[in-house]
Each structure stands twice: as C-alpha cells, then as structure tokens.
Amino acid sequence: MSLMNEPATPDYLPMIEKQLQMSEQQGAVLRSLFEGIRQMRDDVNEKVEEVQIMVQEVRDSVVLNDHEAFMVRAAVHAKSVELTKDRFKDSDEKFNAVVGRHRRMIWSKLKDRFEVAKYSHVRRIDYQESIEFVQSFRPEDYI
C-alpha cells in the first residue's frame, strides 16, 4: 500500500495547542479573579477590625446613664447610713454629721478609684464595679 492510498490522519496538534492556550488564559483570569477576591476579603476583615476597635472605644467612653447614676447614689446613701449605724444610734445628735462624713469619704474615694471629677462620669463599663466598690467600702481601708 502506498502512502497515497492511506486515509489522511487529521493533525490534532494545532487544536490541542489552541485548547491549551485557552485553558492558560482562563487560568490566568481565574487566578486574577481569585487574587482580587482574596484582597477584598482581607480589606473587609481589616475594616471590620477597625470598626470593632472604634465601637470598643465608644463603649469605653460612654458614662453612666441616669438610672445607673441614681443607683450609685442610692448605694452611697445606703452605705453611709449603714456605716454610721454600726457606730451610732439613729437618735444620737452626731448621727447626721457622721453620715455626711461617711458619704463625703465614699464619694471622694469612689471618684479617686475611677479617676473622675464627678461620680456621674464613671464609665458604663465600670458601673457594676462601682456598685461593688461602694457596697464593700470600709473607712478603715483609707485611714
């Protein structure tokens, strides 16, 4: 048999090469898309962290609301009376003066403890701690 009589075999190499080029182009596009998405994710994560830090800064700077300030005030009043009753009878003429001294001392030490000029400037995040401070207050600790 001669070569002339053989059926011509198609040349697949150019088609395969073209397909390979297209696959490489698609791969490059997909890589670029992937890198863009990765960068966007990283940017979003960074912004989320920044927002979380700002939110925490705001939370840390917010002071007691009216109800919380009222509750601190009530705790100071109750504690000053309790401390005075431990030492004097309600009928004693010095009772009110001693209540006042205890109250002033509690206010002074509370403001020192939380580094504020006014008790109402205690930060909200410190509210529970301020109540506990007042409730456990002992003048002996500061004399």
Side-chain angles (χ1 to χ4, degrees):
M1 294 220 245
S2 73
L3 289 175
M4 296 292 247
N5 291 339
E6 287 184 25
T9 56
D11 189 7
Y12 293 112
L13 288 180
M15 284 191 310
I16 293 173
E17 184 178 27
K18 181 77 171 164
Q19 187 63 41
L20 185 58
Q21 287 173 348
M22 288 175 54
S23 292
E24 288 171 347
Q25 289 173 348
Q26 289 173 342
V29 169
L30 283 174
R31 171 60 62 189
S32 177
L33 182 60
F34 174 77
E35 292 299 330
I37 290 171
R38 176 186 283 165
Q39 184 61 48
M40 284 178 17
R41 182 201 61 196
D42 292 346
D43 292 347
V44 166
N45 288 340
E46 185 178 317
K47 294 299 179 194
V48 166
E49 288 175 21
E50 288 175 17
V51 168
Q52 288 172 333
I53 290 169
M54 287 189 288
V55 166
Q56 189 60 45
E57 287 173 357
V58 169
R59 283 184 183 150
D60 290 350
S61 66
V62 174
V63 298
L64 299 179
N65 63 32
D66 288 343
H67 175 72
E68 292 162 337
F70 178 83
M71 296 305 289
V72 171
R73 184 174 179 268
V76 169
H77 284 228
K79 187 64 174 186
S80 61
V81 170
E82 174 191 320
L83 290 170
T84 306
K85 282 184 177 182
D86 287 346
R87 293 160 177 86
F88 296 93
K89 293 190 184 317
D90 288 354
S91 59
D92 193 322
E93 60 187 54
K94 293 183 178 182
F95 187 83
N96 287 336
V98 175
V99 167
R101 270 189 257 137
H102 282 137
R103 206 166 277 168
R104 285 188 298 278
M105 180 184 254
I106 296 169
W107 283 130
S108 173
K109 300 307 176 189
L110 178 74
K111 292 185 285 187
D112 288 348
R113 166 67 183 82
F114 293 99
E115 299 176 346
V116 294
K118 296 177 173 183
Y119 79 95
S120 61
H121 292 166
V122 169
R123 299 176 313 164
R124 287 194 78 196
I125 62 172
D126 295 328
Y127 167 70
Q128 191 58 45
E129 188 179 343
S130 68
I131 292 290
E132 291 167 6
F133 175 86
V134 171
Q135 291 173 341
S136 65
F137 184 84
R138 293 174 13 148
E140 299 81 28
D141 295 339
Y142 299 97
I143 296 176

